[in-house]
Amino acid sequence: MQVLLKNDIFNGNDGCQYRVVKTSSPTSGWVVNLSKAHSWPVERDFGVLRSHSQFDAKSTTCSKSPDFAFYSENARNRANAAYEAIKPLLLNADGSENADILDGTKRNRLVRARAEELGISKTTIYKYLNKWWSQGQSKYVLIPGSARNGLNQTSGTSGRGRTPEYGRYNVFQMGTEDIKRAKDFIEKRYIKKEHASLKGVHIDLIAKHYSFRDGNGDLVKRPEGEHPSIHQFRHILKTCFTPEDVKRGKKGDKNFDRENKPMTGSSLEEAVAPGHIYEIDATVFDIFLVAEANRHCIIGKPTLYLIHDRKTRLIVGFYLGLENASWTGAMLAILSIAEDKHALCEKYGHPYDPAHWPANGIFPAKFLGDRGEMASRNSDRICDGMEAIISNTQSLLPIGKGVVEAGFHAAHCAIKDLAPGYEPPMEAVKRRGTKYHLDAALTVEECTSLILGQVIKHNTTVMKNYPLSPAQVLSGWNAIPIQLWKKEVEHNGCAGANYTYDYLHLQLLPRTTDAPKSKKAKVTQQGIEFENCVYKSVDDDPTVRQWMVNAGLGKAPEVHCSYDLRLVDYIIVHSKGRTFKCKLAKDSARFSGYSFAEVEYVLAEEKRAEKLLEDGANQAEMNRRQRAEAIVTRAKAATKQARTGGARSARKADTAAERNAEKSRRRRAETTLPPTSSELKPVRNVITLHPSDHVGVGAHQQPRTLVEAAAERPRSPIDNLLRRKAQEKTHELTHL
């Protein structure tokens, strides 16, 4: 049988409910009957009052109630005064429980003496003792009832509400059903709709539940006092829903978490050492750029990628280019981790110091992205080749990678005062805003130089609000990224791994093994076909040549290739652990300099044009067949008429003689001599040109003949090509 403790509530065999006031032994103690009013403690045997099946231990009343500290000071003072009044009756001088107060024969004497001592009524003392024993033996139960009004009240507004001015109507008293309707409308029509107004939802509630149709079928709302007022409706909103419920419902969980969620924890909690976590992200850089070939032309805004080490805030890689946020841009940013920093600084005009790049070539144990390019199929190359982990934060939650987000802010702040063409984010949506794009003057290369300067400055200067530990501060550490990296590596080691640029480049390029089924490389007699282009080995490798021979014999090997989405000129072919660099064959050289997406678009346009001309080609074929059928019909009729009645097999009897005779007739008909120069006459059908075409032509000039016009016409590119080919042929014959 369950052991009962102080304040436990159980159901007795007599159908009454009891609370344990004090236990004398595991099987007996003092209890108070809660089912009877003004019941006092009595000592009983627990086994007599209850059975095993009837035990139902419950939490005490005070544990379910609000904390004592949440009541007003006045209410708490009154409860403390009540407790001080009965405390000498409950406890002895040494702090032990006074058993005499539980004994009914001694209780009256003790209460009368305490009442005379305090100068209050003994009824008041009895009231305090009854509350103490029956409601849970806690100061909370001694709080005056008025202080608890509204905390545990039943639903509805029965008998409450301010009287309307001038007594125009009686206050509508909301019951349980009315509150349920109001809560349902608020939840479904106000909270879950971003632009819904409370007044509009209140009108919908009245139209739905507090209106009727008149004789004309029109909907008429009930008069005031017969439906909840807007004040009552607003009261239900405030008491049944928290501000977070309303805000989260209207904005959505993700937007609420991004803008209003409390900031807890730190990004340093997960990072254990330098090189453990690199945060990577991209943003549209708020500056308009110009074309390098023609600075008058504006080419729009570039995309900026940044890679930060979470532990030390060090910028380990970046990329600025015209590629949209995609795997291509992410790949180039990751490649910058191992890029030759000396060549990089020299290219963009910055002094090179090896100390500025302590993480050069160090690949992290984990990349943290935002469900963009780092969640693509191509990102598997990081896991397979470098044994790193890719993790993605919740979408629309930039605080999950706050280090790199702060890096974007710092980059914008570094250039906004100096760079022409910078457009503040708010200006992009402002009406009649300043046309910042007309001030654009920087090229991609020049803007990259500005970003590189900001990267060096960030890595070599102290950061504000970086949480250095007291031991680090006392040891002389400074919150400078390159110093933090160096000291953290000395004390905690580095979680990253070192890779060369060439290895990273080969590993990060997309491969056909990772691509959808449509992207496959195929060996043919013409070369290696991939994405509508044909490739051949750069150095005419005999292995690739043998593949092409085998393809003609129906034994083409299976190959895969790595490719750069930005350029179709080269691919890297993989087969049995070997790699071969291949370039566009002459048949596909027309696409040189194009991206794979552009080639696909050009071919689609070419196919579309063919489809548009298909009807004309079909019409021409139909016309040709009609004319051919007419000729054939006439020929059949003439042949049938020419028959002499002989057998069909006799038609070939005189084939040789008739062939020679036909040949002679055609020679006489087709053979003519060209006219001599004296026989040539001026062409009379000369077309007179428009007067505007005679600019600079004298009146004495005579019209040209067709031969003269043909001799003087300008040469076309085809003429020049044929002439050059003929000269090359003549040159070859001369040297034989």
Side-chain angles (χ1 to χ4, degrees):
M1 182 177 291
Q2 180 74 33
V3 177
L4 291 175
L5 302 176
K6 180 180 176 180
N7 279 337
D8 278 348
I9 298 175
F10 64 92
N11 296 321
N13 291 330
D14 56 358
C16 296
Q17 194 175 59
Y18 295 88
R19 180 190 293 276
V20 178
V21 176
K22 180 183 178 182
T23 58
S24 302
S25 68
T27 59
S28 64
W30 294 84
V31 296
V32 61
N33 192 337
L34 301 180
S35 301
K36 295 181 180 180
H38 307 294
S39 178
W40 298 101
V42 292
E43 190 172 13
R44 299 291 298 273
D45 185 352
F46 296 151
V48 175
L49 290 177
R50 68 188 179 102
S51 63
H52 291 280
S53 60
Q54 292 170 328
F55 174 74
D56 183 21
K58 298 182 180 180
S59 300
T60 59
T61 303
C62 59
S63 64
K64 293 183 178 181
S65 305
D67 191 277
F68 185 76
F70 283 94
Y71 290 97
S72 66
E73 183 179 0
N74 184 39
R76 286 186 279 114
N77 289 338
R78 292 181 63 181
N80 288 326
Y83 177 71
E84 292 297 328
I86 63 175
K87 182 179 179 180
L89 301 176
L90 301 174
L91 302 174
N92 296 318
D94 58 356
S96 60
E97 292 186 4
N98 184 10
D100 293 343
I101 194 64
L102 299 175
D103 189 350
T105 60
K106 302 177 181 179
R107 185 183 307 120
N108 187 39
R109 176 176 53 83
L110 295 173
V111 169
R112 184 183 297 110
R114 184 59 179 167
E116 291 176 355
E117 181 183 353
L118 297 178
I120 60 176
S121 171
K122 66 177 183 179
T123 303
T124 303
I125 301 294
Y126 275 123
K127 181 179 69 174
Y128 292 158
L129 289 174
N130 184 266
K131 283 185 176 182
W132 179 265
W133 287 323
S134 63
Q135 297 185 21
Q137 304 184 71
S138 169
K139 284 186 182 181
Y140 163 76
V141 302
L142 299 177
I143 292 177
S146 59
R148 293 195 298 270
N149 286 347
L151 298 180
N152 301 310
Q153 68 182 19
T154 57
S155 300
T157 58
S158 178
R160 291 188 291 275
R162 185 178 60 184
T163 303
E165 294 180 351
Y166 313 115
R168 292 176 294 145
Y169 56 87
N170 294 325
V171 176
F172 179 78
Q173 302 300 324
M174 297 185 69
T176 304
E177 187 63 26
D178 300 307
I179 294 177
K180 181 179 178 182
R181 291 171 180 171
K183 289 173 63 178
D184 185 64
F185 265 69
I186 290 173
E187 183 176 3
K188 294 181 179 180
R189 303 197 181 192
Y190 178 70
I191 293 180
K192 292 187 177 181
K193 295 185 178 180
E194 183 178 2
H195 302 293
S197 65
L198 191 64
K199 185 174 182 180
V201 176
H202 177 247
I203 295 297
D204 292 342
L205 173 67
I206 296 175
K208 178 71 174 178
H209 296 291
Y210 303 95
S211 61
F212 61 91
R213 293 194 179 275
D214 60 10
N216 298 324
D218 296 332
L219 194 66
V220 180
K221 80 178 189 67
R222 294 179 185 177
E224 296 290 342
E226 296 185 15
H227 63 74
S229 67
I230 184 65
H231 303 290
Q232 292 173 317
F233 197 60
R234 187 178 292 110
H235 176 74
I236 297 299
L237 171 64
K238 291 181 178 179
T239 55
C240 298
F241 301 93
T242 64
E244 179 180 348
D245 294 334
V246 178
K247 204 73 172 179
R248 187 179 289 274
K250 285 186 172 294
K251 299 177 67 173
D253 290 337
K254 292 184 178 179
N255 291 330
F256 181 86
D257 291 342
R258 183 179 69 250
E259 299 175 8
N260 305 103
K261 185 178 179 180
M263 303 300 176
T264 58
S266 170
S267 60
L268 295 178
E269 293 177 358
E270 186 178 355
V272 298
H276 179 203
I277 301 175
Y278 282 1
E279 294 184 10
I280 180 172
D281 198 12
T283 187
V284 176
F285 206 47
D286 295 325
I287 182 172
F288 288 94
L289 303 180
V290 298
E292 188 170 358
N294 183 4
R295 288 181 177 268
H296 183 71
C297 296
I298 300 173
I299 59 176
K301 298 179 180 179
T303 300
L304 174 64
Y305 271 89
L306 287 180
I307 304 177
H308 275 259
D309 175 62
R310 172 174 279 194
K311 183 68 174 178
T312 63
R313 307 292 196 267
L314 184 75
I315 299 179
V316 297
F318 77 98
Y319 168 71
L320 183 81
L322 301 179
E323 303 289 337
N324 294 328
S326 60
W327 173 249
T328 301
M331 177 189 70
L332 294 172
I334 295 172
L335 281 175
S336 69
I337 296 175
E339 189 175 2
D340 184 355
K341 300 303 189 296
H342 184 274
L344 179 69
C345 293
E346 185 177 353
K347 176 180 179 181
Y348 292 108
H350 291 275
Y352 171 71
D353 186 351
H356 295 168
W357 310 98
N360 188 35
I362 297 180
F363 207 73
K366 178 193 289 188
F367 269 108
L368 184 64
D370 62 350
R371 302 184 64 82
E373 54 277 359
M374 299 307 287
S376 66
R377 182 183 292 106
N378 289 319
S379 63
D380 292 345
R381 308 300 313 147
I382 295 177
C383 302
D384 296 339
M386 280 69 75
E387 304 301 328
I389 298 173
I390 295 178
S391 180
N392 288 279
T393 62
Q394 178 184 343
S395 60
L396 300 178
L397 191 63
I399 193 62
K401 44 181 178 45
V403 175
V404 70
E405 296 289 349
F408 290 138
H409 176 72
H412 281 106
C413 292
I415 62 106
K416 65 180 182 180
D417 295 334
L418 301 174
Y422 173 78
E423 181 182 54
M426 294 304 298
E427 290 291 333
V429 294
K430 184 185 292 186
R431 272 189 167 185
R432 298 182 180 180
T434 306
K435 295 180 174 57
Y436 291 94
H437 60 278
L438 299 180
D439 299 328
L442 295 175
T443 64
V444 176
E445 299 296 321
E446 292 166 342
C447 189
T448 302
S449 181
L450 295 181
I451 297 300
L452 179 58
Q454 165 61 19
V455 169
I456 296 175
K457 180 259 180 185
H458 168 82
N459 288 346
T460 56
T461 56
V462 66
M463 298 178 292
K464 294 183 179 180
N465 302 322
Y466 183 86
L468 288 172
S469 68
Q472 291 172 340
V473 173
L474 297 177
S475 299
W477 289 33
N478 295 313
I480 300 175
I482 59 174
Q483 293 186 16
L484 288 175
W485 179 283
K486 180 181 178 181
K487 291 186 176 294
E488 285 284 356
V489 169
E490 292 175 355
H491 288 77
N492 301 320
C494 181
N498 209 328
Y499 295 103
T500 64
Y501 181 87
D502 293 336
Y503 178 80
L504 284 179
H505 194 191
L506 185 61
Q507 286 296 127
L508 295 176
L509 284 176
R511 290 189 184 182
T512 54
T513 52
D514 308 320
K517 293 183 179 180
S518 59
K519 289 188 176 182
K520 296 296 181 183
K522 180 182 178 182
V523 179
T524 65
Q525 284 183 278
Q526 289 74 32
I528 299 174
E529 294 183 358
F530 176 69
E531 288 296 287
N532 303 307
C533 295
V534 180
Y535 295 87
K536 292 186 178 180
S537 175
V538 171
D539 51 1
D540 198 18
D541 191 276
T543 303
V544 178
R545 178 181 290 274
Q546 187 61 43
W547 289 350
M548 297 165 61
V549 173
N550 293 341
L553 301 175
K555 298 180 180 180
E558 181 180 358
V559 297
H560 298 284
C561 68
S562 299
Y563 55 96
D564 192 332
L565 292 169
R566 300 168 299 164
L567 192 66
V568 301
D569 289 19
Y570 296 94
I571 62 173
I572 298 176
V573 179
H574 308 269
S575 179
K576 297 180 179 180
R578 297 186 60 188
T579 59
F580 306 90
K581 188 174 182 180
C582 298
K583 64 179 181 179
L584 284 175
K586 290 185 178 181
D587 293 342
S588 300
R590 57 179 178 145
F591 296 126
S592 179
Y594 283 72
S595 67
F596 283 97
E598 290 171 335
V599 171
E600 184 178 359
Y601 176 77
V602 169
L603 294 177
E605 285 295 305
E606 186 177 15
K607 189 174 182 179
R608 185 181 67 85
E610 291 177 359
K611 286 291 184 182
L612 294 176
L613 299 174
E614 188 174 354
D615 288 342
N618 292 338
Q619 181 65 41
E621 176 64 14
M622 185 178 66
N623 295 339
R624 183 196 67 79
R625 291 180 66 87
Q626 288 178 351
R627 289 191 293 269
E629 287 177 358
I631 295 172
V632 171
T633 301
R634 290 195 300 270
K636 287 182 178 180
T639 302
K640 185 177 181 180
Q641 187 177 3
R643 290 182 61 180
T644 59
R648 288 172 55 87
S649 60
R651 296 183 64 185
K652 294 184 63 177
D654 300 326
T655 297
E658 291 296 334
R659 181 180 180 87
N660 291 332
E662 183 68 21
K663 189 186 299 183
S664 299
R665 285 193 296 271
R666 294 193 64 80
R667 286 172 183 163
R668 288 192 295 272
E670 294 173 354
T671 303
T672 58
L673 295 175
T676 61
S677 58
S678 59
E679 293 176 338
L680 291 175
K681 297 180 180 180
V683 179
R684 298 304 182 186
N685 56 343
V686 177
I687 300 175
T688 305
L689 298 177
H690 192 274
S692 62
D693 296 333
H694 289 282
V695 179
V697 179
H700 64 280
Q701 290 180 319
Q702 298 297 326
R704 296 174 299 168
T705 64
L706 290 177
V707 176
E708 294 170 342
E712 296 178 5
R713 69 179 177 84
R715 293 182 179 275
S716 66
I718 297 298
D719 294 333
N720 294 332
L721 178 61
L722 293 175
R723 182 182 178 186
R724 186 166 59 254
K725 290 291 184 182
Q727 291 175 349
E728 292 175 357
K729 227 26 170 172
T730 304
H731 182 71
E732 293 176 358
L733 293 174
T734 304
H735 288 77
L736 289 177

